[in-house]
Amino acid sequence: MKDLKDKTAFVTGGASGIGLETARALAARGARPILADIEGARAEAAAAELRAEGADAIGLQLNVAEEAEWARAGEAAVRFGDVRILFSNAGVGGGSGGFETYDTEVWRWAYAVNAHAHLYACRTFLGPMKAAGEPAHLAITASMVAIVPPPISVAYISSKYATLGIAMALRNELADTRVGLSVLCPGMSATNIVATTAKLRPGAGEQGAAAQTAQNMSGILASGMSPAAIGERVARAIEAGEFFVFTHPEWKRMAEAQFAEILAAFGESADPDYGGDDIDGLIAANGARRMNVVTGR
């Protein structure tokens, strides 16, 4: 999507962090951002900030985890312009502690924000983007933890794995359309995700060791990469039509080690008499164009 000028861009989590800085980078290229955020006043203030910088932008309130709110957001967006760039970016942490101790409401909430919201976003905007037959782009924020999982929140890691899976599957669906697709996998970023998670999570706040872990993570992220640098990288990826968007190259050696372990685990067939899976048949049966980059399909 080489020309972003006058393209309406809908950005979730747009009041701060990566969402706001990506909107700013898109606006610098002439796009018209819609900043959607659960904190509506902050979204409107951020939009005013972009307007002061010369952008055509608006802010609106949206809880991405509530499907019913998306219809209202979609109507507001259409009044501003036909969305041609969708950045489904809003995310929260998943809490800490042992897996078996997770509060089920916190678990469901983490998935609603980090994974289910991508469905709601696409139900609202992707159909019209595809039907228009014009250059358009969908970007989704996953995380490096979806590639290399560190020993942190199981809810966060697994919901980001789900996000990566959504993007990988959509890659097939969008292959014959004019809608490009990017999946952003950042490492540590200087955002307020820890504070936002503590403020918005359902149920009681974290206590004891879990609370200490959250405090530790807040300190670590404070020294993370600037969201402005990440936002600029996302804008370039949209222009270039890149699928994987990696911003932190220091994670590469860990990814290499992990995938080496995976590949090394492939050995002889569990059934020596089995002829092997019909991969081409699997692809054809699902009307897919490709399995992955290795097959070239």
Side-chain angles (χ1 to χ4, degrees), residues 47 99 233 256:
F99 180 48
R233 179 68 182 87
E256 290 173 335

Side-chain angles (χ1 to χ4, degrees), residues 206-213:
E206 294 183 296
Q207 301 295 324
Q212 184 61 54
T213 297

Side-chain angles (χ1 to χ4, degrees), residues 188 194 212-224:
M188 291 184 287
V194 174
Q212 184 61 54
T213 297
Q215 182 177 338
N216 294 345
M217 284 301 300
S218 183
I220 291 172
L221 293 178
S223 62

Side-chain angles (χ1 to χ4, degrees), residues 102-113:
Y102 262 88
D103 182 317
T104 54
E105 287 306 307
V106 173
W107 180 271
R108 293 189 184 101
W109 170 71
Y111 267 80
V113 177

